[in-house]
Amino acid sequence: MRRGTNLPRMAGFNQTVILDVVRRADSGLTRAQLARRTGLSAQTVTNATRRLLEQGLVREEGEGSRLGPGRPGTLVHLDPRGRYAIGVHLDPATMTFVILDLAGNPVAESHLPVPRPDQPERVVEGIVGAIEGLVASAGIDRALLLGIGIASPGPIDVERGIVLDPPHLPGWDGVPLRDAVQAGTQLPVLLDKDTIAAASAHLWDPGVHRSSEFVFFYLGTGVAMSLVIRDEVVRGASGNAGEAGHFVVDPAGPLCECGKRGCLGAVLGEGILVQQGRAAGVPLPEAGDVVELDQAFTVLCAAADDGDARAVEVLETAGRRLGMGAVVVTDLGDLDTVIVGGPLWSRMERHAMPALEKLVASHRVPSSSHAVAVLGSPLGSLVGAVGAGRLVLGQAFTPRPSDLLLHA
Ligand SMILES: [Zn+2]
């Protein structure tokens, strides 16, 4: 079980087992099929399904195919409108909010610049206000909200729900973000690292990645990654695994804060890319803070979209550098897929992806017998927020042995 969370239980143990099987079935299951797949008795399935229907978590529609004599049985489906989860992604420049239905699909979203990134209390107020506004405008009954997942830049203390001291959030040293948002919204909250949330977003829907062994690169204000091994996100000893920012990919590159040159985080930083674009002659606005810098990066990507060869070159080079970091990880873990996402990537993908794919495809080591697929995250800039919301749903769908004592 994951530590450091306080989300309420959605249903008892057997009900949760059934609910998770129903969720993974594309087109509904009969009670007989549910009994076979869960190993529960027919009577237990009937009772638990009745309770799920009463709670509005599943609905009945259509009939299963006839396998033998007798009636085929009604199909039980997840009711996507039965519950909702909120996902929040706190990036130093932008806050993203989504409401997910019970199937994990976004039904509402909003984006806001971070108000005074250096003042955590203002940011908390902004998060609480934005959540209340989104829930109201989407017309969702608060009673159906399971909770809020927040994806934050690391490092964080997952157990205590505290943002420790992220390099791009000055003044954030030991901010109890989870409890502050919980106090402001009166909803249960979990806090997780942005990359772990983003990688989890892809695990929710196996149709997206079709791989159990992949690396997810997150390009936001910093560069980070998450490794997924056997369908599990590698969390590390303190829940902060995935520090990829200091792989050296260009020994002659820009100086990194760690003292080395050409670290992945340095060459893919928004500041460096904007600086390179400006040095190459792309007309870009001056940037005094992270919000303006993000706007300048948008202008750089738009210039590339408009065919400015200098801007294209900057983004292509960034794609190649990312590829150099990616192959280190795919070799190390014998991975077969690289997924890239995050707020920077969704703007630069069109230009950086071909260079990234080419580098990964040309990298061959004798010990590896398989190709490595490279994918852009289909969740675009929503990936962190959707991942955070899916972590909330994931907990709701995970049967917990302690529930056996409560609901036996
Ligand atoms: Zn470095």
Side-chain angles (χ1 to χ4, degrees):
M1 196 197 301
R2 277 184 17 76
R3 302 161 296 170
T5 59
N6 52 2
L7 296 180
R9 283 139 170 79
M10 182 162 66
F13 187 87
N14 289 339
Q15 289 162 259
T16 309
V17 168
I18 289 171
L19 202 56
D20 197 42
V21 172
V22 170
R23 165 179 101 73
R24 292 171 195 278
D26 288 336
S27 50
L29 295 168
T30 64
R31 286 168 178 72
Q33 287 170 320
L34 279 169
R36 276 198 298 278
R37 293 203 188 181
T38 59
L40 296 169
S41 73
Q43 189 58 49
T44 301
V45 168
T46 300
N47 293 344
T49 305
R50 191 180 61 241
R51 284 198 289 273
L52 291 171
L53 282 164
E54 286 164 2
Q55 291 172 280
L57 296 168
V58 298
R59 60 188 171 80
E60 293 180 299
E61 188 186 316
E63 294 201 326
S65 50
R66 189 185 301 270
L67 294 173
R71 287 183 51 232
T74 310
L75 290 170
V76 177
H77 305 257
L78 189 74
D79 187 345
R81 291 169 300 178
R83 295 290 185 280
Y84 296 88
I86 292 168
V88 179
H89 179 202
L90 172 65
D91 186 80
T94 311
M95 302 190 293
T96 306
F97 303 85
V98 293
I99 299 179
L100 304 182
D101 65 18
L102 196 53
N105 297 316
V107 293
E109 64 177 83
S110 66
H111 307 262
L112 287 175
V114 177
R116 296 305 305 262
D118 55 334
Q119 292 182 12
E121 64 282 3
R122 294 277 303 276
V123 176
V124 169
E125 279 171 28
I127 290 174
V128 171
I131 289 172
E132 301 295 353
L134 189 61
V135 171
S137 67
I140 285 168
D141 180 356
R142 274 182 75 94
L144 298 180
L145 293 173
L146 288 168
I148 300 167
I150 304 178
S152 158
I156 62 167
D157 182 332
V158 177
E159 209 150 321
R160 292 159 64 215
I162 290 176
V163 179
L164 292 175
D165 188 12
H168 301 286
L169 283 173
W172 284 63
D173 189 1
V175 176
L177 184 60
R178 182 189 69 197
D179 292 354
V181 173
Q182 184 157 323
T185 58
Q186 299 297 311
L187 287 166
V189 179
L190 71 77
L191 177 73
D192 220 323
K193 197 181 162 190
D194 46 13
T195 47
I196 288 182
S200 306
H202 301 95
L203 282 174
W204 175 265
D205 180 2
V208 172
H209 64 86
R210 297 181 196 287
S211 166
S212 301
E213 324 280 334
F214 68 92
V215 57
F216 174 78
F217 277 94
Y218 177 82
L219 272 57
T221 305
V223 177
M225 61 162 210
S226 264
L227 266 178
V228 171
I229 306 282
R230 291 185 191 160
D231 281 327
E232 293 259 358
V233 181
V234 176
R235 305 187 71 87
S238 70
N240 287 291
E243 204 41 73
H246 301 285
F247 290 176
V248 174
V249 292
D250 179 15
L255 196 62
C256 178
E257 60 193 13
C258 74
K260 289 181 292 189
R261 283 196 173 274
C263 292
L264 195 59
V267 302
L268 290 173
E270 239 177 351
I272 291 292
L273 296 174
V274 165
Q275 198 180 312
Q276 287 171 346
R278 200 176 278 131
V282 184
L284 298 173
E286 285 304 317
D289 58 26
V290 284
V291 175
E292 287 174 7
L293 181 61
D294 198 51
Q295 288 161 352
F297 181 71
T298 300
V299 176
L300 174 69
C301 295
D305 291 346
D306 288 342
D308 186 325
R310 300 162 300 185
V312 171
E313 169 66 23
V314 169
L315 301 179
E316 280 181 355
T317 304
R320 248 187 332 271
R321 302 271 190 252
L322 175 60
M324 292 169 74
V327 294
V328 174
V329 186
T330 55
D331 283 351
L332 195 67
D334 187 24
L335 312 177
D336 60 17
T337 304
V338 175
I339 306 179
V340 193
L344 255 64
W345 184 252
S346 49
R347 281 170 277 172
M348 65 193 278
E349 176 168 12
R350 192 175 142 198
H351 308 286
M353 180 59 113
L356 166 63
E357 280 177 323
K358 197 171 160 193
L359 192 131
V360 172
S362 67
H363 176 79
R364 281 273 179 274
V365 289
S367 58
S368 180
S369 58
H370 58 81
V372 175
V374 183
L375 310 169
S377 169
L379 295 165
S381 62
L382 291 183
V383 64
V386 169
R390 286 180 178 176
L391 284 171
V392 173
L393 294 175
Q395 294 214 359
F397 281 106
T398 303
R400 286 178 261 192
S402 55
D403 290 346
L404 285 170
L405 302 173
L406 292 170
H407 298 273

